[in-house]
Amino acid sequence: MKKVLAVFLIILSIAFTRDNSPHIDHSSWNELLAVNVSDNGRVDYNGFKEASDKLKIYTNKLSKNPPTNDWSKSEAMAYWINAYNAFTVSLILKNYPLNSIMDINDGKAWDLKFIQIGGKNYSLNNIEHDILRVKYPDPRIHFAVNCAAQSCPKLNNEAFTAENLELSLSRLANEFINNDSKNKLSGNPIKVSKLFDWYKEDFTKKGTVIDYINKYSKTKVAASTKVDFMEYNWDLNN
């Protein structure tokens, strides 16, 4: 009886481990980010260039392992954010050196369907607008996906995973909103990132733009304050 119970526990342990193990390993992307992206989001594209083979292996892994219905929401969301950021870096490297992502495809880099995942072709816009914003409607994704420009939220120097997703999204929202170079929250009017204009519908589902900013801002903004939007700097984030 003891032997039967022991075998049962071993089988149960293996099944539990399989059910809870990640469907894709983002550790190689995490290593690339740790080496080539500073804490404030400056990207060493020359360093990425030197490690382009390793990046290619990772993006190939993404291409061959799209999320399926048995993935958790957090794991799938982390996958798509990592995919957006990794393929953005890849696109920059294909055109490097350059001064801005706006130099690619006449300013429409996001429309290029250069990403193959699961046998389908995607653009960066497809990932952001047709997948992330539709399937995972969380405004914090706008602080996690990186468009390789100075005014963008920083490229996180840690890969997203199901385990760190929630804390990472909140941390990045906090850092971006309280960054004086991105948002100036003193005075009237306040001046905030164009992200709050472009994606206003995402930030105002439960209130106003000011309400959303006040969830994270150290400087609380009065509801009656006028909101202006800062000019966007598209220079490369290097």
Side-chain angles (χ1 to χ4, degrees), residues 183-198:
N183 304 282
K184 301 185 184 304
L185 302 179
S186 298
N188 190 357
I190 59 171
K191 295 184 178 181
V192 301
S193 169
K194 286 285 288 184
L195 291 177
F196 293 107
D197 184 25
W198 293 331

Side-chain angles (χ1 to χ4, degrees), residues 31-169:
E31 291 167 6
L32 286 167
L33 290 168
V35 172
N36 297 298
V37 183
S38 69
D39 288 340
N40 65 357
R42 296 293 182 186
V43 181
D44 179 4
Y45 288 105
N46 287 315
F48 268 116
K49 195 86 171 176
E50 292 176 3
S52 58
D53 288 346
K54 187 173 183 178
L55 177 59
K56 183 65 176 177
I57 290 171
Y58 175 68
T59 55
N60 283 343
K61 184 190 297 185
L62 293 174
S63 295
K64 295 174 182 177
N65 295 277
T68 53
N69 291 334
D70 60 331
W71 290 35
S72 70
K73 177 182 176 181
S74 294
E75 188 175 11
M77 191 172 174
Y79 168 97
W80 286 112
I81 295 173
N82 286 332
Y84 186 101
N85 290 339
F87 280 108
T88 296
V89 171
S90 296
L91 181 61
I92 295 298
L93 294 183
K94 287 178 184 177
N95 295 273
Y96 196 76
L98 73 169
N99 295 318
S100 169
I101 193 171
M102 298 295 281
D103 297 337
I104 302 172
N105 197 35
D106 296 324
K108 297 180 180 178
W110 299 272
D111 292 337
L112 290 170
K113 291 203 169 188
F114 71 100
I115 303 165
Q116 189 172 82
I117 293 176
K120 297 180 180 179
N121 292 325
Y122 294 85
S123 66
L124 292 170
N125 272 340
N126 289 145
I127 292 176
E128 182 176 11
H129 303 305
D130 301 333
I131 297 174
L132 282 169
R133 293 179 68 203
V134 173
K135 293 185 177 181
Y136 315 100
D138 186 329
R140 295 175 300 173
I141 64 172
H142 298 299
F143 310 123
V145 295
N146 180 264
C147 65
Q150 297 279 358
S151 286
C152 292
K154 73 178 188 180
L155 178 59
N156 195 35
N157 59 359
E158 178 183 25
F160 293 92
T161 65
E163 292 74 26
N164 71 21
L165 181 68
E166 179 61 30
L167 286 176
S168 295
L169 290 176

